[in-house]
Amino acid sequence: MNAHTVQTVPAERRYGLRARLRATARSEWVKLWSVRSAPAVLEATAVVIVVGALVLSSGYRSGWASLSASERAAFDPTYTSLRGIELAQLFVGALGVLAVTSEYGTGLIRATLAATPQRTQVLVVKGLVLGAVVWVVSTASSFGAFALGQRLFTGPMPHAALGDPGVLRAVLGGGLYLTLIVLFGTALGALSRSTPLGLAALFGVLLVLPLMVNLLPGSLADRILPYLPGEAGAQVWHVMPPSPRSLGPWQGFALFALYVVVSAGAVLRLTRRRDV
Amino acid sequence: MPIGTTDTPMPAAQAQRPPVTPLSRGRAVLASEWIKLRSLRSLWTTALAGFGFSVGLSFLVCSSFQSRWHTLGAQAQAHFHPIDISLGFLQITSLFFGALGALVVTTEYGTGEIRGTFVATPQRPLVLAAKALLLGLLGFGLALVTVSAAFLLGQSRLSGAVPHASLADPRAAGAVLGGALYLTLTALLGLFLGVLVRSTAIAISALFGVFTVLPVLVNNLPKGLVWRHTVPYLPSNLGFSLWHSHIEFLVRPMPAGSTLALYVIVTAGAGLALLRTRDG
């Protein structure tokens, strides 16, 4: 055994794909938790989901008597208790955007890519780490919000149990939806490389597009709305479809996932070509 | 005065300088704030994007109502209100103006320029007042141009059987003016919010939360006692009162405008209190 082979064998073992993936995941994990904003944002996400359930459920509870028969028939207790997600998606989306853009802002990205020149791998691992953390936090919060909301629906109000058809899927769907939101944010952050632009793009697509479409004449709005990313993805945490034209829960979720995959694909292609 | 161009010794040259009066300081601060405002590229891109967006959306919405008029039911036709329809973009344009106001100060914090500003003018309230004054004037000008242009372009698309309005109609003029006032107050709210949070990312996320998520979340809740005393006072709903003709449960335009102004004043007070006690 000469000096040459002695050096190469351990080197290959040390720098193999699995070892590198593990090292990248660890460095992404460290980066996520070593800035103050990430834990704060995740806490805010959990708080907003649970407080949203409290506010909206008590709103319906106190005003139940004033609702018309058709409004009562359209009342979805599961969806109502989960609607804090609409506010939480702001936090989670911003977390995804900032996970990339703040590295560009501080210049840390150069160190990251010098340490791991496999750019695709860095982005994919970053997405996996963020997605896993967000999935855990938001799934747990969804269950908490659901339990809290259903406790508030008493008396004549309908309430849901996890065993009812579609309910468990909707509560789990809350966590899945927010996981896709963080990935969408990561992709748009990597595309724009700028915090304000990335945030504006993400929130523009998720929040402004439906408002714009709602300004159009009714029939036209009904036809476009179900296919918007946020509206399609949200079907997975509805038990009753909001409109007859809405996509099915998994259909809508798949369409939203497709939007995320397409933007992630664009990023992965671009990220190999662009200078840092 | 460069040394060497004159025989006068420096102390004498300093003595010749006019004394600093509050008026001259105010004028100097206004001048420097105006330079910073007008040289901020993101301010103009935001304003331009807001203008293009508003005009484009008004055009799109009015054109699609014009072309689909015959497919609308009798009820939808009866409920059609040309002023409200062509001004619907205001629900979203408020975001551009809020961001515009926030950027005026958060970019200064972002680049660290704010330190230079406060070294030059340690009177921090004066700096903030100058920023607010200039932003208020510039914002109102931009808002008025944006809203009127979008309104006129939108109305120009409506013709024939479709009801349409002109600025000669006092209700239309009032709605356009109310919309412009709403956007100006939103820009000021954004400015003081920017002072509070000092970060573009937080300010933009907060604006989206307050102006697009909160109303969607709570507007359709049952209209009980609590609802009537809280939801109409959301900034977006107060703005709605200022430009929309059909406000049902919401606040009347005059009190809505003054409540929104009160929000601006309270945020300004909070910003000022923090500005005086915080470093940098």
Side-chain angles (χ1 to χ4, degrees), chain B residues 3-249:
Chain B
I3 300 167
T5 56
T6 168
D7 295 333
T8 326
M10 283 308 284
Q14 272 173 0
Q16 278 171 5
R17 236 204 245 158
V20 177
T21 62
L23 193 70
S24 69
R25 181 184 289 131
R27 208 176 305 146
V29 172
L30 269 182
S32 72
E33 288 302 327
W34 174 241
I35 291 173
K36 278 189 282 181
L37 200 66
R38 117 185 143 201
S39 57
L40 183 62
R41 205 179 52 153
S42 59
L43 183 91
W44 297 106
T45 47
T46 308
L48 202 64
F51 179 84
F53 179 87
S54 311
V55 171
L57 189 58
S58 181
F59 179 85
L60 181 73
V61 168
C62 290
S63 305
S64 52
F65 267 98
Q66 175 73 31
S67 64
R68 302 179 72 87
W69 182 252
H70 57 280
T71 67
L72 296 179
Q75 207 194 355
Q77 288 187 350
H79 276 106
F80 179 82
H81 197 293
I83 303 175
D84 295 346
I85 289 295
S86 66
L87 291 181
F89 65 87
L90 281 169
Q91 293 174 40
I92 304 159
T93 309
S94 53
L95 287 171
F96 286 92
F97 277 77
L100 191 116
L103 283 171
V104 168
V105 55
T106 55
T107 51
E108 242 184 292
Y109 277 105
T111 58
E113 156 118 29
I114 194 79
R115 281 173 229 134
T117 303
F118 285 153
V119 167
T121 318
Q123 292 81 3
R124 296 182 179 190
L126 185 65
V127 173
L128 191 58
K131 278 187 195 300
L133 180 67
L134 291 174
L135 179 72
L137 292 174
L138 181 71
F140 186 69
L142 287 171
L144 203 57
V145 170
T146 305
V147 181
S148 324
F151 175 81
L152 290 175
L153 188 68
Q155 294 303 325
S156 75
R157 298 297 304 157
L158 301 174
S159 59
V162 189
H164 42 275
S166 85
L167 276 179
D169 179 353
R171 279 177 310 166
V176 167
L177 212 59
L181 185 68
Y182 171 45
L183 295 183
T184 313
L185 289 172
T186 310
L188 289 173
L189 209 56
L191 170 74
F192 297 123
L193 180 71
V195 173
L196 285 178
V197 301
R198 296 191 284 188
S199 135
T200 308
I202 302 180
I204 290 185
S205 306
L207 285 169
F208 272 98
V210 171
F211 282 92
T212 62
V213 180
L214 272 188
V216 172
L217 216 50
V218 296
N219 276 358
N220 288 327
L221 285 179
K223 318 249 177 316
L225 196 66
V226 181
W227 191 96
R228 282 164 195 258
H229 284 96
T230 50
V231 176
Y233 296 95
L234 282 181
S236 55
N237 285 338
L238 292 173
F240 199 77
S241 299
L242 285 177
W243 60 268
H244 207 272
S245 65
H246 190 66
I247 48 179
E248 269 187 302
F249 296 105

